[in-house]
Amino acid sequence: LTDDEMICRRNSSKRKEPFSLSFYHGTMTKTEAQRILIQEPSGTFLLRMNEQNDFRISHKKSSRIKHIR
């Protein structure tokens, strides 16, 4: 790839909002996030919006699920 092609790819991959990200799940309670993550392998995470419209990351480590502000 040329430098111009690399710059073009990098610029086109920038996201201005989370809605296009595969790990963004929209508005979701922590209970709903737990229901999804309980079935997933350790290391799985999702980005969600809580009921107060704040972003949260919910992730599974071993058999525990944590929610980060």
Side-chain angles (χ1 to χ4, degrees), residues 23 25 33 36-47 57-62 64-66:
F23 51 85
H25 287 255
I36 291 172
L37 291 172
I38 199 84
Q39 307 171 64
E40 300 298 328
S42 181
T44 303
F45 71 95
L46 59 83
L47 176 65
I57 295 174
S58 298
H59 72 95
K60 183 175 182 180
K61 183 176 179 185
S62 298
R64 296 187 58 169
I65 297 171
K66 296 194 175 194

